[in-house]
Amino acid sequence: MANLNPPQQLAVNHVHGPLLVLAGAGTGKTRVITFRIARLISRGVPPERILGVTFTNKAAQEMQDRLELLLGKRRKRNSARPLLSTFHSLCVRILRRHSTKLGYPEKFAIYAASDQESLARTVLREIKVSDTTLAPRQLMYHISNWKNRGLNYQQAQQDAVSDEATLAAIAYRRYQQTLKKLGAVDFDDLLLLTAQLFQRFPDARLAEAQRFDQILIDEYQDTNRTQYQIVRALAAEHRNLCVVGDDDQSIYGWRGAEIEHILNFKRDWPDAETVRLIDNYRSTQAILDVANRLIEHNRLRHGKVLRSDRQGGPPPVFNQFPDENKEADGVVAAIQAKIRNEHRQPRDFAVLFRTNEQTRVFEAAFRKAKLPYVLIGGMSFFDRKEVQDVVCYLRLLGDDPDDPSVLRILNRPPRGVGKKAAEALLDASVSRSVPVWKIVCNPTCRPAGLGQAAERGLDQLLSNVDAARRSIAQAKSLVQPVFNYLESVDYKAEIERLYTDTEERESRWNVVQQVVDALGNYERDARQPTLIEFLDDLLLGDRDIDHEKEKQLRKNSVFLMTIHASKGLEFPEVFLVGLEEGILPHHRSMDEDARQVDEERRLCYVGVTRAQDTLTLSMALTRMKWGKPRPRLPSRFVYELFGKSDHPNYQKSCQSTAP
């Protein structure tokens, strides 16, 4: 406790009733949460009666690791622990206990993004809506938006105002009915169905609420409406709710987050205490001065001014370049000079963008300069074909595999079950009103004319599945039976069939190995490991942690990423580029009300506060559009950052500090 500053100690020592912790950027938020949990345990609160909820598995794991260090050797390996979880993982646990009340099976399947899009495409085809009128991704955008706002398909039809939204609402109804018929849910359903469960079944809400005496919510500014409803439902009785967040870093309005939840916390919980964490341990005071000046232009916020324990530092600089290519060249040249003259490493630098479209010229400049860089983001681990295939194979080992999983791997690798055979199996399942797997498992129910090759392939697949199930039932560990199963179905042959390059094959097979490794890690930490819980953890965990991103962040390369992707990270030297009207703030926000511009300002604030030692801002005076250079205006945020346009660090010409 001696290592905490006075406001941090106040937050840690508060025990009873609601508490709002306003944690500014770099003020030790995670430290406060973990110390608070440790203090609650030291005061006699049973660990298993404490719930901590955050938005990423990475954050939850970091809290768990820090807590283990705080509690020390007194903690036994199998002793009770607090439940530190993401919102989605928490809701899976709740729905596994109560899903039958809502008409879903206890072992419902969770659809990944690709499964959702495939179902959306099918639904649009069924209601005869073409991709040009409403694309599957557009439909999923509308459905996700409605679910994040807590709207079912009946309410969505009333909410729709445009022709596209009206079509999407009609498709939403079919989409949701089909999902339920398949015994499946999507990611947004995990939240929406939990909120509906609590509203419709008070006994279920009370049973879940009574599991905990203390609840802590991290990143409260990022909660959407359904998450907000779930939190209030769980904390209503004991009222021991601590929420931690920063309204100045609320940048996810586009995916349903509502800043009002943290702004109005005192209205929802009138007896709540408020603690402000304003001592920043990341950035120099020179960087915080411009950050504070910028964010003061947002009117709807909790007032706070960050102060640094690192006084001074070089003042941030704003550079103007003739065009986007010169901007990229100037940034790369500046980084090269610092590496050469100031003994910096490439990993010390981050180049932050508003949009992914800005990266092209910077990648070209880095390649030309032969300077190592990594583009953070891209394909999620779970979106990889191999991971999805393996997950579908593992779903076959459950009691009732869902149809999309079965159909996906029937002929991967090829086993004689071609497209026509798969369609015949699906038709047979529809006519008999049973899942496809039931048809596969019962040779007498299989449609006539499948062909000998298909029959043999299905029989072999069944034999592999049955053998794996028996092995799992007898083994003490899941890892070896699962590995043997993947070998028995010869999934490696699928990789070898599709890819001829040796390195590519090894890379793809390594992805399969990572799934098995993840199973081993899960089994090591779980008290009663099951395959279905592992698949839940894998699917939900990867939605939050991009494995490739984690690997890239360990490289000694310059990091290129969007400002959104940079949240939660910090770098010694930050280049915030493209500070132009129409880019930051984005042109879409400029057509909306002031609230949209406020979120863009918060996004700029997040970018600024990633910098530890130096911050360099830049813009292009012209930018190519449709083959012609178009003049650009400096972002309004530049004037707000520096207070006035004739600030000495506001470079008027392209002759800037860049070499």
Side-chain angles (χ1 to χ4, degrees), residues 1-14:
M1 291 294 291
N3 293 324
L4 300 179
N5 63 40
Q8 289 175 332
Q9 290 188 18
L10 278 175
V12 168
N13 284 318
H14 178 278

Side-chain angles (χ1 to χ4, degrees), residues 16 23 26 50 78 92 100 291 303 350 357 365 371 416 457 464 468 487 552 609 617 626 631 634 646:
H16 299 295
I50 300 172
N78 294 321
V92 168
T100 53
E357 290 78 12
L371 192 61
N464 295 334
E487 282 201 321
Q552 288 174 337
T609 53
L617 313 165
W626 298 111
D646 59 351

Side-chain angles (χ1 to χ4, degrees), residues 403 424-437 439:
D403 288 356
L425 290 168
L426 182 58
D427 290 342
S429 77
V430 172
S431 65
R432 292 172 178 265
S433 298
V434 296
V436 172
W437 188 243
I439 303 296

Side-chain angles (χ1 to χ4, degrees), residues 13 17 25-26 68 76 159 185 194 212 216 240 257 301 307 317 341 358 404 409 414 499 501 506 527 558 579 644:
N13 284 318
E68 294 293 335
K76 296 180 181 179
D159 182 74
V185 301
T194 301
F212 305 105
L216 299 92
N240 294 325
R301 59 185 292 263
R307 62 192 182 199
V317 177
N341 301 327
Q358 295 170 258
I409 51 80
Y499 309 102
D501 181 74
E506 289 179 0
R527 291 189 172 184
V558 180
L579 272 166
K644 52 184 180 179

Side-chain angles (χ1 to χ4, degrees), residues 355-375:
T355 67
N356 282 311
E357 290 78 12
Q358 295 170 258
T359 62
R360 181 187 60 80
V361 291
F362 282 88
E363 289 195 77
F366 277 105
R367 284 198 295 267
K368 181 180 174 183
K370 294 182 171 55
L371 192 61
Y373 74 93
V374 288
L375 183 62

